[in-house]
């Protein structure tokens, strides 16, 4: 691809409403990263279980962390705001392609093969937003694969929820990783990364706000990187990957520790 040719990006989402940090990220790449978005694929959830009965599936299904979610909403509002996909007017020129994601074994979802073919014919790369754990041909058919945010440094923290483990462990620095997805969870090729100062972030909401705020620059840098023929994304060796956390790790003891940290944080505002 020559420097004068725009990188063609497909926006793949599973949501009717898009987090505004993601909208800002898409707007930034069109403005600054020599990118066009000719295709939006809206992959709705399948009717049946998409996570399977594997270890990952069972961990993600168990313990939905209602206690943490409740406390988070009471003590500090979630920093994310959202815009309906249909209201993002500047994406109106893109072709809109709805489909239904299909369950994959042992976990995750796949995109229908005809949609994957359309994506590969139309676009050079895919930017992913909340379609579940992707598997199958969509990961390999586009030239530059599927790029996805992980709001953490995969060399330290993998899994979910974003930012909470850094908050609980008093990490002074967090990170935002843009990875080219592989079938392994949060173990993709690092395309771009930014460190984020968390030293004076006294709530989980503030940690997340800072991670989200850094996202547009990370995506822009990542898409500029993959347009550089000399750029090589980094695959982190398994032994250097961070701990993989699940929702089931948010035990009652961890929830209590979280609540106390949030209360303590109120005295810093």
């Amino acid at each position: 691809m020559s420097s004068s040719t725009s990188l063609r990006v497909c926006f793949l989402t599973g949501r009717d409403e898009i987090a505004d940090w993601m909208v800002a990220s898409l707007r930034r790449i069109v403005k600054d990263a020599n990118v066009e978005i000719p295709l939006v694929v809206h992959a709705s959830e399948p009717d049946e279980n998409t996570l399977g009965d594997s270890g990952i599936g069972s961990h993600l299904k168990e313990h939905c962390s209602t206690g943490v979610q409740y406390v988070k909403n009471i003590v500090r509002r979630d920093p994310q705001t959202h815009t309906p996909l249909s209201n993002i007017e500047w994406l109106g020129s893109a072709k809109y392609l709805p489909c239904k994601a299909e369950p994959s074994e042992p976990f995750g979802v796949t995109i229908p093969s005809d949609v994957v073919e359309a994506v590969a014919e139309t676009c050079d790369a895919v930017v992913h937003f909340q379609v579940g754990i992707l598997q199958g041909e969509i990961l390999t058919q586009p030239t530059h694969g599927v790029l996805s945010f992980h709001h953490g440094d995969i060399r330290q923290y993998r899994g979910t929820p974003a930012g909470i483990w850094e908050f609980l462990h008093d990490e002074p620095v967090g990170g935002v990783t843009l990875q080219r997805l592989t079938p392994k969870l949060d173990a993709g090729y690092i395309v771009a990364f930014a460190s984020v100062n968390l030293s004076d972030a006294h709530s989980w909401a503030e940690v997340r706000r800072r991670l989200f705020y850094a996202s547009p620059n990370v995506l822009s840098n990542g898409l500029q990187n993959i347009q550089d023929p000399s750029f090589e994304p980094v695959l982190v060796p398994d032994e250097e990957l961070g701990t993989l956390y699940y929702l089931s790790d948010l035990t009652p003891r961890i929830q209590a520790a979280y609540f106390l940290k949030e209360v303590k944080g109120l005295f810093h505002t």
Side-chain angles (χ1 to χ4, degrees):
M1 183 177 66
S2 70
S3 59
S4 61
T5 303
S6 296
L7 184 77
R8 300 168 302 166
V9 168
C10 167
F11 179 49
L12 170 62
T13 182
R15 297 290 179 261
D16 295 312
E17 293 192 336
I18 310 302
D20 287 331
W21 62 262
M22 186 75 246
V23 178
S25 299
L26 295 175
R27 192 184 295 273
R28 176 71 62 83
I29 62 176
V30 171
K31 178 177 180 291
D32 295 337
N34 193 30
V35 164
E36 60 177 307
I37 305 177
L39 181 62
V40 173
V41 173
H42 186 190
S44 57
E45 295 181 359
D47 296 328
E48 55 188 295
N49 172 29
T50 66
L51 298 174
D53 294 321
S54 67
I56 290 178
S58 60
H59 276 298
L60 290 175
K61 289 193 300 180
E62 292 175 6
H63 309 295
C64 293
S65 68
T66 54
V68 168
Q69 187 68 34
Y70 173 78
V71 172
K72 177 171 70 71
N73 289 336
I74 293 299
V75 178
R76 295 288 171 85
R77 289 177 60 89
D78 193 306
Q80 295 188 92
T81 57
H82 297 78
T83 296
L85 181 60
S86 58
N87 288 359
I88 307 174
E89 295 180 0
W90 56 273
L91 276 180
S93 60
K95 179 180 179 182
Y96 179 80
L97 183 57
C99 68
K100 185 178 287 291
E102 301 170 345
S104 177
E105 293 294 339
F107 65 90
V109 297
T110 61
I111 302 301
S113 57
D114 60 327
V115 176
V116 174
E117 183 178 346
V119 170
E121 289 178 351
T122 307
C123 298
D124 309 300
V126 175
V127 170
H128 162 275
F129 179 71
Q130 294 188 348
V131 190
I133 303 172
L134 286 176
Q135 303 288 348
E137 293 183 341
I138 190 65
L139 299 179
T140 58
Q141 288 302 303
T143 301
H144 297 289
V146 179
L147 307 181
S148 182
F149 282 106
H150 174 66
H151 288 95
D153 184 343
I154 64 173
R155 293 160 293 195
Q156 293 185 300
Y157 294 96
R158 299 159 59 218
T160 189
I164 197 169
W165 303 106
E166 290 90 334
F167 175 59
L168 288 170
H169 296 159
D170 294 314
E171 295 287 359
V173 177
V176 178
T177 307
L178 183 70
Q179 57 179 327
R180 176 173 176 169
L181 294 178
T182 65
K184 191 171 182 178
L185 183 60
D186 287 340
Y189 289 83
I190 297 177
V191 174
F193 176 80
S195 295
V196 178
N197 177 26
L198 303 177
S199 61
D200 58 345
H202 300 299
S203 70
W204 181 22
E206 178 61 18
V207 168
R208 285 160 58 84
R209 187 193 66 79
R210 295 186 187 190
L211 297 175
F212 296 148
Y213 182 81
S215 300
N217 280 340
V218 173
L219 185 58
S220 180
N221 291 340
L223 289 178
Q224 291 178 68
N225 285 341
I226 66 175
Q227 293 177 72
D228 180 353
S230 66
F231 174 76
E232 291 290 339
V234 176
L235 183 63
V236 181
D238 286 351
E239 62 272 16
E240 296 179 18
L241 288 168
T243 302
L244 181 57
Y245 289 94
Y246 303 100
L247 291 178
S248 57
D249 292 311
L250 293 169
T251 62
R253 181 180 66 83
I254 296 297
Q255 292 182 30
Y258 164 79
F259 177 79
L260 290 175
K261 279 188 66 65
E262 286 283 8
V263 172
K264 181 179 178 181
L266 291 174
F267 294 96
H268 291 274
T269 58

